[in-house]
């Protein structure tokens, strides 16, 4: 893909001291994985990789440097760039200290789906091209193997960048509403059954919260002692409380990157809750997070004509 | 047993309108069901959605949030902000399969003692139809 260009660009940025650090991806410790890496010397840029497994949201890794004076270059897919925009807007990171290298996202592939469909797989047998890959002499479409969160992607192209590497790409054709429609059409009891089954699997490891670039509270309400909102025990009611509370905290801020859902060890469709909230906001308050630096967040403003029929 | 069941409803009333409305209902001797437990809050905008979830988790069968009519907020716009938050929460709760009448909202002004009693009657009636809350109620308590 554009690995060489990314390495060259990062090297150049570090050598000219335009930035002090590059946040990117390097190969993970297991095959079909990439992990975040922080690079501050030009010779280390060889470690950088960019492939269909570079899924963690790197905006998350900006936050520890909020109070430093470092200037940071960040590799950003559509969702990473949107998350950075929200962080800038919420004054969690100054615009002038982040250099966004925009990367139109080729779609992140789920290792689980590959293994399920193809059985035992080795990394070296795969060669990826645009939207397809070669495996055992056969050409496969990428789309069915995409992470759920990526197949419903609405913004593969970064809305904010200092430079763009690669060509802007089209949507996959399946929209985020497809996932929600399935549940929207169900009866109250069916919806409850779905969420009861999903959320009773939650072990409250908080991986979803920790992967989220926008869950940056120093003390999370889930772990607060005074007031104690919720117990740490993973019972259904506490799990539901945590996830509903988290979705409400992300209202008008979630950028649908799906980092929470990909981080979940129990494979709970946890990204759907904040996504639903985003869709409620989009439909009723015509706002989408991370697309503009000027527009007010929906819960920090109001209109006199907001829906109010539900109030007696 | 079931016939004698009376719902417990937590009512968050804003200090400037609904709480005064409830007061007026009281001094005017207007009758309304005794199922509500009133919590006075400075403004409906001060009601954190977590309060509502917490009330349900702690065993309330229903929650009523009431504030000033739009345009009449003592703090000028608190209820407009509240309306957005409540709208999102209300839709989200329904979407995960929690009955929509568990959480109800109303605007009651300080002069609407009669309306307050009607709102409470209506709220209680709707919650009674749903029966005791089971979803979201905590399963057990830890003593620390």
């Amino acid at each position: 893909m554009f690995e060489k260009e990314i390495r060259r660009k990062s090297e150049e940025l570090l050598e000219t001291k335009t930035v002090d650090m590059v946040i990117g991806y390097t190969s993970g410790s297991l095959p079909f994985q990439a992990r975040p890496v922080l690079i501050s010397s030009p010779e280390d840029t060889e470690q950088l990789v960019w492939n269909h497994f570079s899924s963690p949201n790197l905006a998350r890794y900006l936050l520890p440097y909020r109070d430093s004076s470092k200037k940071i270059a960040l590799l950003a897919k559509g969702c990473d760039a949107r998350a950075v925009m929200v962080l800038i807007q919420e004054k969690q990171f100054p615009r002038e200290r982040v250099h966004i290298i925009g990367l139109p996202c080729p779609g992140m592939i789920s290792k689980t789906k590959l293994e399920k469909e193809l059985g035992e797989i080795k990394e070296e047998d795969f060669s990826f091209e645009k939207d397809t890959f070669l495996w055992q002499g056969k050409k496969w479409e990428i789309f069915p193997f995409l992470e759920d969160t990526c197949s419903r992607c609405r913004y593969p192209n970064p809305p904010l960048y200092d430079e763009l590497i690669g060509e802007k790409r089209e949507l996959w054709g399946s929209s985020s509403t497809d996932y929600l429609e399935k549940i929207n059409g169900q009866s109250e009891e069916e919806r409850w059954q779905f969420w009861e089954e999903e959320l009773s699997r939650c072990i409250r490891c908080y991986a979803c919260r920790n992967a989220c670039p926008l869950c940056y509270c120093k003390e999370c309400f889930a772990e607060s002692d005074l007031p104690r909102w919720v117990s740490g025990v993973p019972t259904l009611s506490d799990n539901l409380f945590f996830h509903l509370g988290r979705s409400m905290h992300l209202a008008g801020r979630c950028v649908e990157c799906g980092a929470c859902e990909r981080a979940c060890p129990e494979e709970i469709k946890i990204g759907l809750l904040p996504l639903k909230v985003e869709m409620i906001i989009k439909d009723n308050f015509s706002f989408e997070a991370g697309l503009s630096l000027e527009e007010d967040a929906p819960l920090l403003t109001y209109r006199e004509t907001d829906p109010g029929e539900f109030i007696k | 047993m079931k016939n004698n069941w009376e719902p417990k409803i937590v009512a968050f009333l804003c200090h400037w309108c609904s709480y005064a409305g409830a007061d007026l209902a009281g001094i005017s001797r207007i009758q309304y069901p005794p199922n509500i437990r009133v919590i006075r809050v400075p403004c409906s905008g001060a009601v954190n959605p977590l309060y509502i979830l917490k009330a349900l988790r702690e065993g309330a069968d229903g929650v009523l949030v009431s504030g000033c009519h739009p345009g009449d907020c003592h703090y000028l716009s608190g209820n407009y902000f509240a309306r957005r938050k409540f709208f999102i929460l209300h839709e989200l709760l329904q979407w995960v399969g929690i009955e929509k009448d568990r959480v109800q909202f109303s605007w009651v002004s300080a002069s609407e003692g009669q309306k307050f009693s009607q709102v409470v009657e209506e709220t209680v009636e709707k919650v009674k139809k749903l029966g005791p809350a089971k979803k979201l109620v905590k399963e057990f308590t830890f003593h620390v």
Side-chain angles (χ1 to χ4, degrees):
Chain A
M1 293 206 278
F2 295 95
E3 225 163 61
K4 274 190 202 127
E5 285 87 337
I6 292 168
R7 286 177 188 164
R8 207 179 50 223
K9 191 77 223 169
S10 312
E11 202 177 345
E12 182 195 314
L13 286 170
L14 287 167
E15 258 168 6
T16 55
K17 304 248 189 289
T18 318
V19 299
D20 301 302
M21 189 197 282
V22 177
I23 304 184
Y25 301 97
T26 190
S27 319
S29 43
L30 293 167
F32 304 103
Q33 251 190 11
R35 64 177 173 84
V37 65
L38 314 176
I39 286 178
S40 35
S41 73
E43 52 269 28
D44 290 343
T45 50
E46 285 306 298
Q47 295 175 21
L48 287 170
V49 302
W50 168 244
N51 52 36
H52 285 284
F53 303 95
S54 310
S55 71
N57 194 325
L58 295 181
R60 174 85 214 174
Y61 299 87
L62 272 182
L63 291 169
Y65 299 95
R66 184 181 67 175
D67 301 324
S68 77
S69 54
K70 281 199 165 117
K71 192 165 178 196
I72 294 173
L74 184 95
L75 302 190
K77 310 184 283 291
C79 47
D80 305 47
R82 285 179 74 196
V84 174
M85 267 174 112
V86 178
L87 290 176
I88 294 170
Q89 209 184 12
E90 293 178 353
K91 304 204 168 29
Q92 294 300 316
F93 212 85
R95 174 70 186 94
E96 56 281 7
R97 283 210 286 118
V98 56
H99 184 96
I100 303 173
I101 304 174
L103 302 167
C105 181
M108 295 299 139
I109 293 178
S110 154
K111 186 186 177 188
T112 331
K113 285 190 186 174
L114 278 181
E115 278 172 343
K116 213 182 225 170
E117 182 71 24
L118 309 177
E120 201 148 309
I121 43 174
K122 279 190 198 133
E123 212 166 5
E124 54 271 25
D125 299 344
F126 284 79
S127 70
F128 290 97
E129 282 157 40
K130 191 181 185 286
D131 295 357
T132 54
F133 63 86
L134 279 171
W135 183 73
Q136 295 195 341
K138 206 180 140 197
K139 204 171 193 181
W140 302 71
E141 284 290 318
I142 265 182
F143 184 71
F145 297 99
L146 286 185
E147 295 273 6
D148 282 357
T149 56
C150 294
S151 66
R152 62 180 182 235
C153 181
R154 297 191 300 134
Y155 294 97
N157 301 311
L160 177 74
Y161 52 81
D162 295 291
E163 53 203 300
L164 194 69
I165 300 182
E167 283 160 30
K168 292 207 173 187
R169 67 156 301 131
E170 307 284 302
L171 293 183
W172 290 99
S174 131
S175 74
S176 50
T177 40
D178 293 351
Y179 283 83
L180 296 178
E181 278 315 320
K182 239 183 274 168
I183 304 178
N184 290 350
Q186 291 174 338
S187 72
E188 186 181 281
E189 216 33 59
E190 285 169 326
R191 289 197 299 264
W192 173 253
Q193 270 170 15
F194 173 74
W195 284 110
E196 188 179 22
E197 201 207 296
E198 289 288 306
L199 293 179
S200 45
R201 299 206 310 274
C202 174
I203 54 171
R204 295 275 290 291
C205 60
Y206 300 131
C208 46
R209 181 195 69 190
N210 296 349
C212 176
L214 297 168
C215 262
Y216 55 70
C217 290
K218 282 216 168 103
E219 190 185 28
C220 178
F221 75 96
E223 287 168 321
S224 138
D225 274 327
L226 269 175
R228 173 168 280 202
W229 295 106
V230 66
S231 94
V233 188
T235 59
L236 176 63
S237 64
D238 287 325
N239 294 345
L240 192 58
F241 190 107
F242 168 65
H243 291 293
L244 290 175
R246 201 177 90 86
S247 310
M248 287 306 292
H249 280 182
L250 285 171
R253 310 170 57 234
C254 173
V255 295
E256 304 150 45
C257 65
C260 47
E261 196 166 311
R262 294 194 298 270
C264 182
E266 297 285 329
E267 297 181 3
I268 299 168
K269 306 245 166 281
I270 210 59
L272 291 179
L273 283 168
L275 179 66
K276 173 67 184 174
V277 173
E278 284 322 291
M279 290 300 146
I280 294 171
I281 289 174
K282 180 171 171 261
D283 294 345
N284 295 284
F285 309 133
S286 13
F287 177 89
E288 287 177 82
L291 296 181
S292 138
L293 288 175
E294 283 81 42
E295 212 177 334
D296 278 331
L299 292 187
L300 298 181
T301 181
Y302 64 87
R303 282 192 207 120
E304 285 180 14
T305 51
D306 284 338
E309 298 75 36
F310 68 104
I311 302 174
K312 283 197 276 264
Chain B
M1 166 76 188
K2 216 189 162 188
N3 297 335
N4 298 332
W5 174 75
E6 288 289 336
K8 284 192 186 118
I9 294 169
V10 176
F12 294 99
L13 306 184
C14 101
H15 170 79
W16 303 98
C17 294
S18 300
Y19 192 83
D23 203 22
L24 182 65
I27 53 174
S28 319
R29 312 260 168 155
I30 303 170
Q31 299 291 316
Y32 61 83
N35 302 64
I36 62 165
R37 275 72 169 157
V38 175
I39 297 175
R40 184 172 60 160
V41 290
C43 176
S44 51
V47 177
N48 186 332
L50 292 183
Y51 295 173
I52 299 172
L53 294 175
K54 179 79 169 168
L56 293 172
R57 190 181 104 85
E58 298 298 325
D61 298 301
V63 176
L64 170 68
V65 186
S66 188
C68 308
H69 285 275
D72 287 347
C73 179
H74 183 77
Y75 306 101
L76 307 178
S77 53
N79 52 1
Y80 283 121
F81 290 102
R83 185 165 65 178
R84 283 200 162 190
K85 277 187 273 185
F86 297 157
F87 179 76
I88 297 168
L89 180 71
H90 200 230
E91 295 280 308
L92 182 66
L93 285 176
Q94 284 178 56
W95 193 70
V96 295
I98 289 168
E99 306 90 340
K100 84 172 203 289
D101 287 338
R102 287 274 177 225
V103 184
Q104 301 184 41
F105 304 91
S106 68
W107 303 136
V108 173
S109 84
S111 60
E112 294 178 320
Q114 196 65 48
K115 183 178 175 188
F116 182 78
S117 97
Q118 279 166 12
V119 163
V120 175
E121 266 171 34
E122 210 178 298
T123 308
V124 172
E125 196 185 314
K126 281 183 177 167
V127 175
K128 267 189 179 163
K129 256 188 215 151
L130 299 175
K134 292 207 180 66
K135 304 163 183 175
L136 239 176
V137 180
K138 66 179 169 188
E139 282 119 273
F140 53 87
T141 316
F142 272 91
H143 295 283
V144 255

